[in-house]
Each structure stands twice: as C-alpha cells, then as structure tokens.
Amino acid sequence: MEDIDAIEQLPGVGPATAEKLIDAGFTDLMSIAVSSPQMLAEMADIGVNSAVKIIAAARKQADIGGFETGDVIMEKRKLVGKVTTGSEALDELMGGGFETQAITELFGEFGSGKTQIGHQIAVNTTKPVEDGGLDATVIFIDTENTFRPERIIQMSEGQGLDPAEVLSKIRVARAFNSHHQMLLAEKAQGVAKEHGVRCLVVDSLTAHFRAEYVGRGALADRQQKLNKHMHDLIRFSDLFNAMVIVTNQVMSKPDAFFGDPTRPIGGHIVGHAATFRIYLRKSKGQKRIARLIDSPNLPEGEAVFSVVEEGVID
Ligand code: ADP
Ligand code: MG
C-alpha cells in the first residue's frame, strides 16, 4: 500500500494516471524508475512526455541501488540454499540441488515429469538442512489442478517422513486464470513473511496465459503480463532467499510467433528471467532425461532420473 501511495503522490501523476500505471503492473516506484519512457508510455497508455517526467520523479525517490564489490556479492551467494531433488544425477547436474535466489524453469512435453519434480522439491524443502532440505515452508500455485496431496504423502512415506507434518508445511492455492495467478504470486510475499517460505512452485507458469491470450494480436499483451509476473517471482526469490520453480510446456504445434514447435511458451520473456532452464523428456518407462540448457555457472549436461511411487530417484 505504501508503494501505491507513493505512486499517487508522484508529481505529475493524477488519480487517473495512477490507476493506469497500477493497472499496467507498475505497483512500486522502482518498477517505474527502471522503465524506459517508451515502455511506460505504451504499457500504461500515457504520453511519452508524461512518461519521461514520471520516470524522472520516480528515480529521485526510489533507491536505485549502487554497485557492490564482488566480495559483497560473494557473501550473498554464501546464503544460497540447496534442495536435493531425490536423484543424485539430477542434483549433480544442478551443482548440488536446486538453488535459492534463483528461478528454475522446468520445460518439457506433457508427462515429462515437471509436476512430479515440483511435488518432490516441495517435500524436500520441508526436510532438515542436513538431509538436503531447508527446514522451510513451501507455497505451491497450482494452475492445472494437478497438485495431489496423495503424491505428497507417497513421497513423504518413501523417505520415512511424517506425511501430515510435510503436508502442513505446503500451502497450496489454485489459480483459476492468469490474473488470479499473478495476484497469488503477489500475495505469496505476505505469506512468506509470516511463515518462513523458501520455495515457491508455479505449476504451470504459462498454461493460463497460453489459453487466454490467443492469436497474434494478443501476444504483446501476453508477454507484457508474463514479464510483470516473472519480475514478481524474481523479487520473491531475492526478498526471501527462496527458490522459485516454474513449469512450462513445450508447444505441440508451431506457435504463431515463435514458430519452433519445441520451444517453450513465453519465449524470451520467460527464458531471460529464468536462472536455470531444464528441458525434460520422457525415456523408457519411468525414466526421464533432464538437460540443463542455461545456467550462469554450470556446464550444460544431461542427467537420467526416474519417477516412481516414492517420487524422484536415480
Ligand atoms: P508433467 O510434465 O505433464 O507435469 P508429470 O510430472 O505429472 O508430467 O508426470 C506424470 C508422470 O509421472 C506419469 O506419467 C507417471 O509416469 C509418473 N507418476 C505419477 N504418479 C506416479 C505414481 N504414483 N507412481 C509412479 N509414477 C507416477
Ligand atoms: Mg504437470
């Protein structure tokens, strides 16, 4: 709310402009301060000249931050937490497990194991640190109605964990459309402050967006909304030293815009926002292959794992 008040009080911003800005996803001074005039003008449907003035005013008030020395960044890196996936091969591919302060994108065709890994990381995040967890609460935003407490119970029992305790540490919200999904991601911050959340799963990140914004004409709008959503998720991972896991289905038929049928939905917007991108594909039976295709500090590579009743294993 303070953020919204601050926007309304910017010089040159009347109530109507404030509403346009907030509607377009500019809900704090920082998001305005770092925007380009063209982008702000287009997204909030205001004149470029007003946008220039509003950005200048926001820059005066927002703390844009400065440069940090490498050793300060290294101190922050030391706080990175890792969660085991349950598969040694997959952990090794990821440099010891999934990381906090990062967005990990799992993309692949239907049945490739995206939701299973989401469940497994949720269970494992609740475990003590010495057992490869973060002893923390998880938020799970479920957009396809595929969250199954039964799977959480099986995966917990598979490791000798108390299923009731694990379930009590996973907070699930069903998102009914993309707008709802975005609101839930914002609301997650409040929950995280209260409950010590270190993991946020959004499964699926893109399904609603894909279903709702159909055709070429809707693409710009879709990408704009996705961009805002991704930035909220990045902020979440930063604020709470949390891992954010998003799932993304590859397109089964060529996309009007991106063409390539094996490309994940959301294109460059999701790709640039993700720290790690893992491409999953089915192999024989329970076997799945994970390919790390983008990482700031790890080599590309592949790992074979399995999905069984007890969860993700080698
Ligand atoms: P998606 O990538 O579409 O999210 P999932 O992660 O839901 O796919 O993977 C579904 C697959 O997980 C199933 O086809 C099955 O191979 C496996 N799976 C799901 N539940 C179980 C279970 N209880 N026991 C063993 N394997 C399971
Ligand atoms: Mg799924």
Side-chain angles (χ1 to χ4, degrees):
M1 273 298 105
E2 310 145 34
D3 287 339
I4 303 235
D5 289 347
I7 290 174
E8 286 170 345
Q9 279 152 27
L10 278 177
V13 175
T17 306
E19 201 178 316
K20 283 182 179 175
L21 288 167
I22 292 157
D23 260 4
F26 295 96
T27 50
D28 57 18
L29 288 179
M30 187 59 124
S31 59
I32 296 172
V34 300
S35 176
S36 73
Q38 288 73 17
M39 182 178 152
L40 192 76
E42 197 173 305
M43 285 177 71
D45 190 25
I46 57 176
V48 176
N49 287 340
S50 327
V52 170
K53 285 182 195 142
I54 292 169
I55 290 169
R59 284 188 184 164
K60 268 192 201 147
Q61 290 182 32
D63 178 8
I64 312 231
F67 293 93
E68 280 172 337
T69 51
D71 51 319
V72 174
I73 309 279
M74 189 63 218
E75 282 309 307
K76 192 177 170 213
R77 288 284 307 159
K78 280 185 192 155
L79 300 176
V80 167
K82 296 197 179 184
V83 169
T84 176
T85 61
S87 152
E88 270 183 41
L90 190 49
D91 283 356
E92 199 179 313
L93 181 73
M94 294 301 293
F98 281 23
E99 283 190 0
T100 65
Q101 296 178 23
I103 311 268
T104 299
E105 178 195 358
L106 304 169
F107 72 97
E109 60 177 323
F110 162 79
S112 59
K114 304 180 293 293
T115 296
Q116 300 304 312
I117 295 180
H119 280 66
Q120 188 71 63
I121 291 287
V123 169
N124 291 358
T125 297
T126 70
K127 296 205 293 182
V129 176
E130 56 272 24
D131 296 334
L134 293 170
D135 195 13
T137 301
V138 177
I139 297 179
F140 200 110
I141 299 179
D142 178 19
T143 78
E144 297 187 301
N145 197 19
T146 50
F147 177 84
R148 289 292 176 276
E150 294 89 334
R151 280 304 276 148
I152 299 295
I153 293 171
Q154 287 173 339
M155 290 177 179
S156 304
E157 284 171 346
Q159 305 188 62
L161 303 170
D162 175 1
E165 201 189 322
V166 173
L167 281 171
S168 75
K169 290 181 182 165
I170 303 176
R171 295 180 173 256
V172 186
R174 175 88 196 279
F176 293 99
N177 55 48
S178 65
H179 185 66
H180 189 201
Q181 178 180 334
M182 290 173 72
L183 288 175
L184 287 169
E186 288 170 28
K187 204 172 164 192
Q189 291 196 10
V191 179
K193 275 184 199 134
E194 213 173 310
H195 297 284
V197 174
R198 298 289 301 280
C199 173
L200 169 62
V201 181
V202 185
D203 182 23
S204 145
L205 174 74
T206 46
H208 282 319
F209 287 92
R210 184 194 200 184
E212 291 164 23
Y213 295 86
V214 181
R216 233 177 211 289
L219 255 173
D221 204 16
R222 176 178 93 182
Q223 296 301 76
Q224 215 173 74
K225 293 280 173 8
L226 253 179
N227 191 31
K228 154 86 172 79
H229 190 38
M230 293 312 292
H231 279 93
D232 284 343
L233 297 176
I234 291 172
R235 203 175 147 93
F236 186 94
S237 74
D238 251 16
L239 279 175
F240 302 103
N241 187 10
M243 61 180 60
V244 174
I245 297 171
V246 301
T247 69
N248 196 357
Q249 203 171 322
V250 293
M251 292 167 289
S252 49
K253 61 179 194 303
D255 183 276
F257 192 70
F258 297 108
D260 183 346
T262 63
R263 285 277 192 81
I265 301 159
H268 57 284
I269 297 271
V270 176
H272 282 165
T275 323
F276 301 101
R277 312 192 81 186
I278 302 173
Y279 177 45
L280 297 170
R281 55 191 205 274
K282 292 187 216 177
S283 183
K284 277 191 196 121
Q286 304 163 324
K287 293 235 179 298
R288 299 286 184 278
I289 300 162
R291 175 160 189 84
L292 182 62
I293 59 157
D294 198 359
S295 151
N297 62 324
L298 295 170
E300 292 198 3
E302 285 194 348
V304 180
F305 65 96
S306 302
V307 179
V308 298
E309 183 171 321
E310 292 76 17
V312 174
I313 59 166
D314 269 313

